[in-house]
mmCIF file of all heavy atoms in Angstrom:
data_model
loop_
_atom_site.group_PDB
_atom_site.id
_atom_site.type_symbol
_atom_site.label_atom_id
_atom_site.label_comp_id
_atom_site.label_asym_id
_atom_site.label_seq_id
_atom_site.Cartn_x
_atom_site.Cartn_y
_atom_site.Cartn_z
ATOM 1 N N TYR X 9 0.831 -1.205 0.000
ATOM 2 C CA TYR X 9 0.000 0.000 0.000
ATOM 3 C C TYR X 9 0.865 1.256 0.000
ATOM 4 O O TYR X 9 0.650 2.179 -0.786
ATOM 5 C CB TYR X 9 -0.931 -0.013 1.212
ATOM 6 C CG TYR X 9 -1.757 1.236 1.362
ATOM 7 C CD1 TYR X 9 -2.822 1.493 0.512
ATOM 8 C CD2 TYR X 9 -1.459 2.178 2.338
ATOM 9 C CE1 TYR X 9 -3.575 2.649 0.633
ATOM 10 C CE2 TYR X 9 -2.203 3.336 2.470
ATOM 11 C CZ TYR X 9 -3.263 3.566 1.615
ATOM 12 O OH TYR X 9 -3.998 4.708 1.732
ATOM 13 N N VAL X 10 1.865 1.291 0.866
ATOM 14 C CA VAL X 10 2.731 2.470 0.957
ATOM 15 C C VAL X 10 3.535 2.646 -0.331
ATOM 16 O O VAL X 10 3.675 3.766 -0.835
ATOM 17 C CB VAL X 10 3.657 2.371 2.190
ATOM 18 C CG1 VAL X 10 4.711 3.455 2.172
ATOM 19 C CG2 VAL X 10 2.838 2.436 3.474
ATOM 20 N N ASN X 11 4.047 1.563 -0.879
ATOM 21 C CA ASN X 11 4.795 1.662 -2.138
ATOM 22 C C ASN X 11 3.901 2.148 -3.277
ATOM 23 O O ASN X 11 4.343 2.895 -4.139
ATOM 24 C CB ASN X 11 5.420 0.315 -2.496
ATOM 25 C CG ASN X 11 6.594 -0.015 -1.606
ATOM 26 O OD1 ASN X 11 7.287 0.870 -1.119
ATOM 27 N ND2 ASN X 11 6.813 -1.298 -1.372
ATOM 28 N N ARG X 12 2.637 1.735 -3.275
ATOM 29 C CA ARG X 12 1.695 2.192 -4.301
ATOM 30 C C ARG X 12 1.399 3.689 -4.121
ATOM 31 O O ARG X 12 1.277 4.427 -5.093
ATOM 32 C CB ARG X 12 0.416 1.365 -4.230
ATOM 33 C CG ARG X 12 -0.492 1.575 -5.403
ATOM 34 C CD ARG X 12 -1.673 0.609 -5.436
ATOM 35 N NE ARG X 12 -2.465 0.675 -4.228
ATOM 36 C CZ ARG X 12 -2.653 -0.339 -3.379
ATOM 37 N NH1 ARG X 12 -2.090 -1.513 -3.624
ATOM 38 N NH2 ARG X 12 -3.394 -0.201 -2.302
ATOM 39 N N LEU X 13 1.304 4.139 -2.871
ATOM 40 C CA LEU X 13 1.063 5.563 -2.617
ATOM 41 C C LEU X 13 2.221 6.437 -3.092
ATOM 42 O O LEU X 13 2.019 7.533 -3.607
ATOM 43 C CB LEU X 13 0.855 5.816 -1.121
ATOM 44 C CG LEU X 13 -0.496 5.469 -0.525
ATOM 45 C CD1 LEU X 13 -0.482 5.724 0.973
ATOM 46 C CD2 LEU X 13 -1.601 6.263 -1.174
ATOM 47 N N LEU X 14 3.442 5.949 -2.916
ATOM 48 C CA LEU X 14 4.633 6.754 -3.197
ATOM 49 C C LEU X 14 5.269 6.447 -4.549
ATOM 50 O O LEU X 14 6.387 6.886 -4.811
ATOM 51 C CB LEU X 14 5.658 6.558 -2.083
ATOM 52 C CG LEU X 14 5.220 6.994 -0.690
ATOM 53 C CD1 LEU X 14 6.279 6.664 0.336
ATOM 54 C CD2 LEU X 14 4.898 8.468 -0.662
ATOM 55 N N ARG X 15 4.580 5.725 -5.404
ATOM 56 C CA ARG X 15 5.194 5.347 -6.692
ATOM 57 C C ARG X 15 5.422 6.536 -7.616
ATOM 58 O O ARG X 15 6.290 6.493 -8.470
ATOM 59 C CB ARG X 15 4.361 4.283 -7.382
ATOM 60 C CG ARG X 15 3.049 4.778 -7.922
ATOM 61 C CD ARG X 15 2.287 3.725 -8.706
ATOM 62 N NE ARG X 15 0.974 4.221 -9.044
ATOM 63 C CZ ARG X 15 -0.145 3.829 -8.471
ATOM 64 N NH1 ARG X 15 -0.100 2.896 -7.539
ATOM 65 N NH2 ARG X 15 -1.294 4.351 -8.811
ATOM 66 N N ASP X 16 4.665 7.622 -7.440
ATOM 67 C CA ASP X 16 4.832 8.789 -8.312
ATOM 68 C C ASP X 16 6.025 9.649 -7.932
ATOM 69 O O ASP X 16 6.473 10.468 -8.717
ATOM 70 C CB ASP X 16 3.569 9.659 -8.274
ATOM 71 C CG ASP X 16 2.369 8.943 -8.873
ATOM 72 O OD1 ASP X 16 2.578 8.024 -9.692
ATOM 73 O OD2 ASP X 16 1.230 9.297 -8.520
ATOM 74 N N PHE X 17 6.521 9.466 -6.723
ATOM 75 C CA PHE X 17 7.655 10.259 -6.265
ATOM 76 C C PHE X 17 8.938 9.751 -6.913
ATOM 77 O O PHE X 17 9.120 8.556 -7.089
ATOM 78 C CB PHE X 17 7.812 10.169 -4.746
ATOM 79 C CG PHE X 17 6.744 10.881 -3.980
ATOM 80 C CD1 PHE X 17 5.647 10.204 -3.492
ATOM 81 C CD2 PHE X 17 6.840 12.235 -3.736
ATOM 82 C CE1 PHE X 17 4.664 10.860 -2.786
ATOM 83 C CE2 PHE X 17 5.868 12.903 -3.028
ATOM 84 C CZ PHE X 17 4.771 12.210 -2.554
ATOM 85 N N PRO X 18 9.844 10.645 -7.266
ATOM 86 C CA PRO X 18 11.128 10.191 -7.810
ATOM 87 C C PRO X 18 11.952 9.508 -6.720
ATOM 88 O O PRO X 18 11.839 9.842 -5.544
ATOM 89 C CB PRO X 18 11.800 11.484 -8.286
ATOM 90 C CG PRO X 18 11.121 12.575 -7.546
ATOM 91 C CD PRO X 18 9.742 12.097 -7.234
ATOM 92 N N ASP X 19 12.739 8.531 -7.131
ATOM 93 C CA ASP X 19 13.572 7.810 -6.166
ATOM 94 C C ASP X 19 14.596 8.755 -5.553
ATOM 95 O O ASP X 19 15.324 9.434 -6.263
ATOM 96 C CB ASP X 19 14.293 6.640 -6.841
ATOM 97 C CG ASP X 19 13.325 5.533 -7.229
ATOM 98 O OD1 ASP X 19 12.263 5.428 -6.575
ATOM 99 O OD2 ASP X 19 13.622 4.776 -8.170
ATOM 100 N N SER X 20 14.595 8.799 -4.239
ATOM 101 C CA SER X 20 15.527 9.656 -3.523
ATOM 102 C C SER X 20 15.619 9.161 -2.084
ATOM 103 O O SER X 20 14.897 8.259 -1.663
ATOM 104 C CB SER X 20 15.070 11.118 -3.545
ATOM 105 O OG SER X 20 13.863 11.263 -2.822
ATOM 106 N N GLU X 21 16.522 9.779 -1.359
ATOM 107 C CA GLU X 21 16.676 9.442 0.056
ATOM 108 C C GLU X 21 15.418 9.847 0.826
ATOM 109 O O GLU X 21 14.989 9.145 1.737
ATOM 110 C CB GLU X 21 17.894 10.166 0.614
ATOM 111 C CG GLU X 21 18.233 9.772 2.029
ATOM 112 C CD GLU X 21 19.500 10.448 2.507
ATOM 113 O OE1 GLU X 21 20.478 10.490 1.754
ATOM 114 O OE2 GLU X 21 19.472 10.927 3.652
ATOM 115 N N ARG X 22 14.811 10.941 0.430
ATOM 116 C CA ARG X 22 13.582 11.424 1.086
ATOM 117 C C ARG X 22 12.444 10.417 0.900
ATOM 118 O O ARG X 22 11.689 10.145 1.818
ATOM 119 C CB ARG X 22 13.202 12.790 0.511
ATOM 120 C CG ARG X 22 11.920 13.350 1.053
ATOM 121 C CD ARG X 22 12.125 13.961 2.419
ATOM 122 N NE ARG X 22 10.916 14.655 2.820
ATOM 123 C CZ ARG X 22 10.377 14.552 4.014
ATOM 124 N NH1 ARG X 22 10.965 13.824 4.931
ATOM 125 N NH2 ARG X 22 9.290 15.189 4.308
ATOM 126 N N LYS X 23 12.308 9.851 -0.307
ATOM 127 C CA LYS X 23 11.266 8.864 -0.567
ATOM 128 C C LYS X 23 11.486 7.613 0.273
ATOM 129 O O LYS X 23 10.543 7.068 0.840
ATOM 130 C CB LYS X 23 11.238 8.501 -2.047
ATOM 131 C CG LYS X 23 10.199 7.439 -2.372
ATOM 132 C CD LYS X 23 10.226 7.066 -3.828
ATOM 133 C CE LYS X 23 9.261 5.943 -4.107
ATOM 134 N NZ LYS X 23 9.256 5.546 -5.508
ATOM 135 N N THR X 24 12.722 7.166 0.382
ATOM 136 C CA THR X 24 13.030 5.995 1.198
ATOM 137 C C THR X 24 12.674 6.244 2.652
ATOM 138 O O THR X 24 12.071 5.387 3.315
ATOM 139 C CB THR X 24 14.526 5.643 1.070
ATOM 140 O OG1 THR X 24 14.850 5.490 -0.309
ATOM 141 C CG2 THR X 24 14.850 4.366 1.812
ATOM 142 N N GLN X 25 13.007 7.427 3.150
ATOM 143 C CA GLN X 25 12.698 7.773 4.533
ATOM 144 C C GLN X 25 11.193 7.841 4.761
ATOM 145 O O GLN X 25 10.688 7.339 5.770
ATOM 146 C CB GLN X 25 13.357 9.106 4.912
ATOM 147 C CG GLN X 25 13.161 9.502 6.351
ATOM 148 C CD GLN X 25 13.833 8.545 7.318
ATOM 149 O OE1 GLN X 25 14.879 7.989 7.023
ATOM 150 N NE2 GLN X 25 13.227 8.332 8.460
ATOM 151 N N LEU X 26 10.465 8.456 3.833
ATOM 152 C CA LEU X 26 9.011 8.529 3.946
ATOM 153 C C LEU X 26 8.382 7.145 3.936
ATOM 154 O O LEU X 26 7.473 6.860 4.716
ATOM 155 C CB LEU X 26 8.426 9.363 2.802
ATOM 156 C CG LEU X 26 8.543 10.868 2.905
ATOM 157 C CD1 LEU X 26 8.038 11.517 1.627
ATOM 158 C CD2 LEU X 26 7.774 11.388 4.097
ATOM 159 N N THR X 27 8.869 6.281 3.064
ATOM 160 C CA THR X 27 8.342 4.921 2.991
ATOM 161 C C THR X 27 8.533 4.207 4.316
ATOM 162 O O THR X 27 7.597 3.587 4.837
ATOM 163 C CB THR X 27 9.038 4.144 1.859
ATOM 164 O OG1 THR X 27 8.870 4.850 0.630
ATOM 165 C CG2 THR X 27 8.477 2.746 1.719
ATOM 166 N N GLN X 28 9.718 4.285 4.878
ATOM 167 C CA GLN X 28 9.985 3.627 6.156
ATOM 168 C C GLN X 28 9.124 4.213 7.276
ATOM 169 O O GLN X 28 8.576 3.473 8.099
ATOM 170 C CB GLN X 28 11.463 3.744 6.519
ATOM 171 C CG GLN X 28 12.374 2.960 5.611
ATOM 172 C CD GLN X 28 13.845 3.248 5.864
ATOM 173 O OE1 GLN X 28 14.192 4.122 6.659
ATOM 174 N NE2 GLN X 28 14.706 2.515 5.186
ATOM 175 N N ASP X 29 8.975 5.526 7.293
ATOM 176 C CA ASP X 29 8.163 6.170 8.333
ATOM 177 C C ASP X 29 6.696 5.765 8.229
ATOM 178 O O ASP X 29 6.051 5.460 9.237
ATOM 179 C CB ASP X 29 8.278 7.686 8.247
ATOM 180 C CG ASP X 29 9.648 8.204 8.657
ATOM 181 O OD1 ASP X 29 10.405 7.427 9.296
ATOM 182 O OD2 ASP X 29 9.961 9.365 8.354
ATOM 183 N N PHE X 30 6.162 5.755 7.014
ATOM 184 C CA PHE X 30 4.760 5.390 6.829
ATOM 185 C C PHE X 30 4.516 3.934 7.220
ATOM 186 O O PHE X 30 3.523 3.613 7.874
ATOM 187 C CB PHE X 30 4.313 5.626 5.388
ATOM 188 C CG PHE X 30 4.188 7.068 5.013
ATOM 189 C CD1 PHE X 30 4.178 7.455 3.685
ATOM 190 C CD2 PHE X 30 4.079 8.060 5.967
ATOM 191 C CE1 PHE X 30 4.047 8.782 3.324
ATOM 192 C CE2 PHE X 30 3.964 9.395 5.626
ATOM 193 C CZ PHE X 30 3.952 9.755 4.297
ATOM 194 N N ILE X 31 5.413 3.057 6.807
ATOM 195 C CA ILE X 31 5.259 1.643 7.154
ATOM 196 C C ILE X 31 5.312 1.466 8.664
ATOM 197 O O ILE X 31 4.492 0.748 9.250
ATOM 198 C CB ILE X 31 6.334 0.785 6.439
ATOM 199 C CG1 ILE X 31 6.043 0.730 4.937
ATOM 200 C CG2 ILE X 31 6.390 -0.613 7.030
ATOM 201 C CD1 ILE X 31 7.130 0.076 4.118
ATOM 202 N N GLN X 32 6.240 2.133 9.318
ATOM 203 C CA GLN X 32 6.359 2.026 10.773
ATOM 204 C C GLN X 32 5.096 2.556 11.462
ATOM 205 O O GLN X 32 4.580 1.914 12.381
ATOM 206 C CB GLN X 32 7.585 2.790 11.261
ATOM 207 C CG GLN X 32 7.798 2.694 12.747
ATOM 208 C CD GLN X 32 9.021 3.478 13.206
ATOM 209 O OE1 GLN X 32 9.694 4.126 12.402
ATOM 210 N NE2 GLN X 32 9.302 3.423 14.479
ATOM 211 N N ASP X 33 4.593 3.697 11.021
ATOM 212 C CA ASP X 33 3.381 4.256 11.620
ATOM 213 C C ASP X 33 2.191 3.327 11.440
ATOM 214 O O ASP X 33 1.403 3.109 12.372
ATOM 215 C CB ASP X 33 3.059 5.624 11.006
ATOM 216 C CG ASP X 33 4.062 6.694 11.386
ATOM 217 O OD1 ASP X 33 4.829 6.481 12.358
ATOM 218 O OD2 ASP X 33 4.092 7.744 10.709
ATOM 219 N N MET X 34 2.049 2.772 10.255
ATOM 220 C CA MET X 34 0.916 1.891 10.007
ATOM 221 C C MET X 34 1.040 0.583 10.781
ATOM 222 O O MET X 34 0.040 0.040 11.258
ATOM 223 C CB MET X 34 0.766 1.639 8.514
ATOM 224 C CG MET X 34 0.315 2.880 7.771
ATOM 225 S SD MET X 34 0.072 2.619 6.021
ATOM 226 C CE MET X 34 -1.458 1.722 6.056
ATOM 227 N N GLU X 35 2.257 0.069 10.926
ATOM 228 C CA GLU X 35 2.444 -1.150 11.715
ATOM 229 C C GLU X 35 2.107 -0.910 13.181
ATOM 230 O O GLU X 35 1.540 -1.782 13.845
ATOM 231 C CB GLU X 35 3.875 -1.667 11.563
ATOM 232 C CG GLU X 35 4.131 -2.311 10.219
ATOM 233 C CD GLU X 35 5.561 -2.751 10.026
ATOM 234 O OE1 GLU X 35 6.433 -2.390 10.865
ATOM 235 O OE2 GLU X 35 5.832 -3.448 9.040
ATOM 236 N N GLU X 36 2.433 0.282 13.672
ATOM 237 C CA GLU X 36 2.054 0.617 15.048
ATOM 238 C C GLU X 36 0.537 0.700 15.191
ATOM 239 O O GLU X 36 -0.021 0.242 16.192
ATOM 240 C CB GLU X 36 2.699 1.933 15.468
ATOM 241 C CG GLU X 36 4.192 1.844 15.676
ATOM 242 C CD GLU X 36 4.843 3.188 15.950
ATOM 243 O OE1 GLU X 36 4.110 4.203 16.080
ATOM 244 O OE2 GLU X 36 6.081 3.228 16.027
ATOM 245 N N MET X 37 -0.135 1.276 14.194
ATOM 246 C CA MET X 37 -1.591 1.325 14.224
ATOM 247 C C MET X 37 -2.190 -0.073 14.226
ATOM 248 O O MET X 37 -3.126 -0.363 14.982
ATOM 249 C CB MET X 37 -2.124 2.122 13.020
ATOM 250 C CG MET X 37 -1.844 3.606 13.069
ATOM 251 S SD MET X 37 -2.255 4.481 11.543
ATOM 252 C CE MET X 37 -4.022 4.342 11.530
ATOM 253 N N VAL X 38 -1.641 -0.951 13.389
ATOM 254 C CA VAL X 38 -2.133 -2.332 13.322
ATOM 255 C C VAL X 38 -1.925 -3.021 14.661
ATOM 256 O O VAL X 38 -2.816 -3.726 15.163
ATOM 257 C CB VAL X 38 -1.443 -3.096 12.172
ATOM 258 C CG1 VAL X 38 -1.716 -4.583 12.262
ATOM 259 C CG2 VAL X 38 -1.890 -2.544 10.828
ATOM 260 N N SER X 39 -0.778 -2.814 15.283
ATOM 261 C CA SER X 39 -0.501 -3.424 16.593
ATOM 262 C C SER X 39 -1.514 -2.956 17.639
ATOM 263 O O SER X 39 -2.012 -3.766 18.437
ATOM 264 C CB SER X 39 0.893 -3.071 17.081
ATOM 265 O OG SER X 39 1.853 -3.380 16.146
ATOM 266 N N ASP X 40 -1.825 -1.670 17.608
ATOM 267 C CA ASP X 40 -2.798 -1.138 18.559
ATOM 268 C C ASP X 40 -4.181 -1.758 18.343
ATOM 269 O O ASP X 40 -4.876 -2.100 19.310
ATOM 270 C CB ASP X 40 -2.892 0.383 18.448
ATOM 271 C CG ASP X 40 -1.633 1.087 18.936
ATOM 272 O OD1 ASP X 40 -0.843 0.450 19.683
ATOM 273 O OD2 ASP X 40 -1.427 2.259 18.563
ATOM 274 N N TYR X 41 -4.582 -1.904 17.084
ATOM 275 C CA TYR X 41 -5.888 -2.495 16.799
ATOM 276 C C TYR X 41 -5.937 -3.963 17.198
ATOM 277 O O TYR X 41 -6.961 -4.447 17.700
ATOM 278 C CB TYR X 41 -6.253 -2.335 15.327
ATOM 279 C CG TYR X 41 -6.516 -0.912 14.922
ATOM 280 C CD1 TYR X 41 -6.004 -0.397 13.741
ATOM 281 C CD2 TYR X 41 -7.286 -0.069 15.713
ATOM 282 C CE1 TYR X 41 -6.238 0.919 13.364
ATOM 283 C CE2 TYR X 41 -7.527 1.243 15.348
ATOM 284 C CZ TYR X 41 -6.998 1.727 14.181
ATOM 285 O OH TYR X 41 -7.238 3.029 13.814
ATOM 286 N N ILE X 42 -4.852 -4.674 16.992
ATOM 287 C CA ILE X 42 -4.806 -6.091 17.387
ATOM 288 C C ILE X 42 -4.891 -6.212 18.906
ATOM 289 O O ILE X 42 -5.577 -7.093 19.433
ATOM 290 C CB ILE X 42 -3.545 -6.773 16.811
ATOM 291 C CG1 ILE X 42 -3.668 -6.895 15.291
ATOM 292 C CG2 ILE X 42 -3.328 -8.141 17.446
ATOM 293 C CD1 ILE X 42 -2.437 -7.431 14.597
ATOM 294 N N GLU X 43 -4.215 -5.327 19.622
ATOM 295 C CA GLU X 43 -4.289 -5.331 21.085
ATOM 296 C C GLU X 43 -5.699 -5.032 21.581
ATOM 297 O O GLU X 43 -6.097 -5.486 22.650
ATOM 298 C CB GLU X 43 -3.317 -4.310 21.678
ATOM 299 C CG GLU X 43 -1.876 -4.702 21.586
ATOM 300 C CD GLU X 43 -0.940 -3.627 22.111
ATOM 301 O OE1 GLU X 43 -1.431 -2.607 22.641
ATOM 302 O OE2 GLU X 43 0.278 -3.818 21.982
ATOM 303 N N ASN X 44 -6.444 -4.267 20.805
ATOM 304 C CA ASN X 44 -7.821 -3.926 21.185
ATOM 305 C C ASN X 44 -8.836 -4.971 20.736
ATOM 306 O O ASN X 44 -10.037 -4.754 20.843
ATOM 307 C CB ASN X 44 -8.212 -2.560 20.627
ATOM 308 C CG ASN X 44 -7.464 -1.438 21.313
ATOM 309 O OD1 ASN X 44 -7.051 -1.571 22.453
ATOM 310 N ND2 ASN X 44 -7.289 -0.335 20.599
ATOM 311 N N GLY X 45 -8.365 -6.099 20.197
ATOM 312 C CA GLY X 45 -9.253 -7.213 19.904
ATOM 313 C C GLY X 45 -9.620 -7.423 18.448
ATOM 314 O O GLY X 45 -10.435 -8.288 18.148
ATOM 315 N N LYS X 46 -9.063 -6.677 17.530
ATOM 316 C CA LYS X 46 -9.374 -6.876 16.108
ATOM 317 C C LYS X 46 -8.505 -7.993 15.552
ATOM 318 O O LYS X 46 -7.414 -8.271 16.053
ATOM 319 C CB LYS X 46 -9.128 -5.595 15.327
ATOM 320 C CG LYS X 46 -10.028 -4.451 15.712
ATOM 321 C CD LYS X 46 -10.521 -3.779 14.477
ATOM 322 C CE LYS X 46 -11.420 -2.632 14.835
ATOM 323 N NZ LYS X 46 -12.807 -2.927 14.604
ATOM 324 N N THR X 47 -8.991 -8.635 14.485
ATOM 325 C CA THR X 47 -8.162 -9.624 13.802
ATOM 326 C C THR X 47 -7.095 -8.887 13.010
ATOM 327 O O THR X 47 -7.204 -7.677 12.759
ATOM 328 C CB THR X 47 -9.011 -10.482 12.842
ATOM 329 O OG1 THR X 47 -9.536 -9.644 11.826
ATOM 330 C CG2 THR X 47 -10.126 -11.192 13.586
ATOM 331 N N GLU X 48 -6.082 -9.614 12.586
ATOM 332 C CA GLU X 48 -4.972 -8.966 11.885
ATOM 333 C C GLU X 48 -5.438 -8.330 10.578
ATOM 334 O O GLU X 48 -5.069 -7.190 10.256
ATOM 335 C CB GLU X 48 -3.852 -9.969 11.602
ATOM 336 C CG GLU X 48 -2.644 -9.315 10.965
ATOM 337 C CD GLU X 48 -1.493 -10.277 10.738
ATOM 338 O OE1 GLU X 48 -1.579 -11.438 11.155
ATOM 339 O OE2 GLU X 48 -0.504 -9.824 10.133
ATOM 340 N N GLU X 49 -6.270 -9.032 9.830
ATOM 341 C CA GLU X 49 -6.727 -8.478 8.559
ATOM 342 C C GLU X 49 -7.621 -7.255 8.768
ATOM 343 O O GLU X 49 -7.499 -6.259 8.052
ATOM 344 C CB GLU X 49 -7.481 -9.532 7.752
ATOM 345 C CG GLU X 49 -7.824 -9.021 6.379
ATOM 346 C CD GLU X 49 -8.090 -10.143 5.388
ATOM 347 O OE1 GLU X 49 -7.593 -11.252 5.578
ATOM 348 O OE2 GLU X 49 -8.806 -9.857 4.426
ATOM 349 N N ASP X 50 -8.501 -7.304 9.756
ATOM 350 C CA ASP X 50 -9.336 -6.137 10.054
ATOM 351 C C ASP X 50 -8.485 -4.953 10.505
ATOM 352 O O ASP X 50 -8.756 -3.806 10.140
ATOM 353 C CB ASP X 50 -10.366 -6.463 11.141
ATOM 354 C CG ASP X 50 -11.479 -7.367 10.631
ATOM 355 O OD1 ASP X 50 -11.659 -7.451 9.403
ATOM 356 O OD2 ASP X 50 -12.163 -7.993 11.470
ATOM 357 N N ALA X 51 -7.473 -5.242 11.302
ATOM 358 C CA ALA X 51 -6.590 -4.183 11.789
ATOM 359 C C ALA X 51 -5.837 -3.535 10.632
ATOM 360 O O ALA X 51 -5.697 -2.306 10.574
ATOM 361 C CB ALA X 51 -5.620 -4.739 12.821
ATOM 362 N N ILE X 52 -5.360 -4.344 9.702
ATOM 363 C CA ILE X 52 -4.633 -3.809 8.543
ATOM 364 C C ILE X 52 -5.564 -2.953 7.690
ATOM 365 O O ILE X 52 -5.217 -1.832 7.296
ATOM 366 C CB ILE X 52 -4.001 -4.946 7.712
ATOM 367 C CG1 ILE X 52 -2.858 -5.591 8.497
ATOM 368 C CG2 ILE X 52 -3.507 -4.427 6.367
ATOM 369 C CD1 ILE X 52 -2.288 -6.835 7.850
ATOM 370 N N ASN X 53 -6.760 -3.460 7.428
ATOM 371 C CA ASN X 53 -7.713 -2.695 6.610
ATOM 372 C C ASN X 53 -8.104 -1.388 7.280
ATOM 373 O O ASN X 53 -8.199 -0.345 6.629
ATOM 374 C CB ASN X 53 -8.950 -3.547 6.317
ATOM 375 C CG ASN X 53 -8.645 -4.677 5.356
ATOM 376 O OD1 ASN X 53 -7.712 -4.603 4.562
ATOM 377 N ND2 ASN X 53 -9.420 -5.742 5.439
ATOM 378 N N LYS X 54 -8.318 -1.436 8.589
ATOM 379 C CA LYS X 54 -8.689 -0.216 9.304
ATOM 380 C C LYS X 54 -7.528 0.789 9.293
ATOM 381 O O LYS X 54 -7.728 1.995 9.149
ATOM 382 C CB LYS X 54 -9.109 -0.536 10.734
ATOM 383 C CG LYS X 54 -9.630 0.679 11.463
ATOM 384 C CD LYS X 54 -10.372 0.319 12.706
ATOM 385 C CE LYS X 54 -10.803 1.613 13.358
ATOM 386 N NZ LYS X 54 -12.043 1.550 14.019
ATOM 387 N N ALA X 55 -6.303 0.308 9.452
ATOM 388 C CA ALA X 55 -5.138 1.192 9.420
ATOM 389 C C ALA X 55 -4.997 1.857 8.050
ATOM 390 O O ALA X 55 -4.698 3.050 7.956
ATOM 391 C CB ALA X 55 -3.872 0.420 9.767
#
């Protein structure tokens, strides 16, 4: 999902950093949803 969002950006150090930050933020959101009782797929979709 994150790679699809950022595919229009030219390859650069900034794009790599943004990709890593977005993935990390979304993984934290998924972890929070799983802790609150959602299934992994529901948590990913909600994130």
Side-chain angles (χ1 to χ4, degrees):
Y9 176 73
V10 170
N11 287 330
R12 191 172 57 242
L13 282 177
L14 298 176
R15 71 175 173 254
D16 294 336
F17 289 96
D19 290 334
S20 66
E21 186 176 316
R22 177 79 172 135
K23 178 182 176 180
T24 306
Q25 184 65 34
L26 283 174
T27 303
Q28 292 172 354
D29 290 344
F30 289 161
I31 290 172
Q32 182 181 2
D33 291 344
M34 291 182 75
E35 286 177 350
E36 289 174 5
M37 290 171 68
V38 168
S39 307
D40 291 341
Y41 292 136
I42 291 175
E43 287 177 5
N44 291 334
K46 295 224 180 255
T47 64
E48 184 177 355
E49 186 159 335
D50 288 341
I52 291 172
N53 290 335
K54 186 165 178 146

